[in-house]
Amino acid sequence: MTFLDLPSVASWRHVGARTGFEVAYFTADHGGRRVAGVTTATEGSQSWIVDYVIDVDQSWLTRSARITGRTEGVTRTIVIEADGMGHWQIDGVPAPHLRGCLDLDLEASAVTNTFPVHRLSLPIGHAAAAPAAYVRAVGLAVDHLEQTYSRASEQVYDYAAPAFDFACSLTYDQHGLILDYPGIATRVQ
């Protein structure tokens, strides 16, 4: 399936695990795409804000990201760069623990689940591993996250992240943007 071009803006309401909101803007940029957004939430007793600018190339491989997180009066910014072949740097320092990751996944965001779905272009009934550089909302720690996507139907992908003992079915729209991420987010625009 080929997805339609991305809209200029999309937004999600955090539901279940946290309460909050995310807004992302999409622009074509040098043969790829730029996703700029902000997500805010309260989870348990902690509130946070994460601003991000993520660049993906024409194949939907993450190439760079600038992420700023704020929580409890502390602000931190990190810059992540990738060569599109599984090698990463964080703030200019090689990050060998991320070797093999092709996607960036923000804990704070529903939009980053768009990247592997577009990149993989899975036919219905097929599955693929999609290891990601996983950025935590609080503190912006970056870990290697093993995850898989399996295309169940035209708009539904089964998603699993074994490290979190988490699996669900994600529903996407005709643009390849999440409509429903059970327990995490629901699309509102």
Side-chain angles (χ1 to χ4, degrees), residues 12-14 18-23 37-43 46-52 70 108-109:
W12 295 263
R13 183 179 318 109
H14 297 294
R18 59 185 70 106
T19 302
F21 207 77
E22 177 177 11
V23 177
V38 63
T39 181
T40 64
T42 298
E43 189 169 357
Q46 219 162 18
S47 295
W48 42 259
I49 298 171
V50 175
D51 294 294
Y52 56 85
R70 291 185 285 277
S109 174

Side-chain angles (χ1 to χ4, degrees), residues 11-14 18 22 24 39 52 105-115 149 170 172 176-181 184-187:
S11 57
W12 295 263
R13 183 179 318 109
H14 297 294
R18 59 185 70 106
E22 177 177 11
T39 181
Y52 56 85
D105 188 346
L106 299 178
E107 175 185 32
S109 174
V111 78
T112 53
N113 291 86
T114 295
F115 308 154
Y149 288 82
L170 304 173
Y172 288 81
L177 294 170
I178 288 205
L179 291 172
D180 183 39
Y181 192 147
I184 305 291
T186 301
R187 176 97 176 268

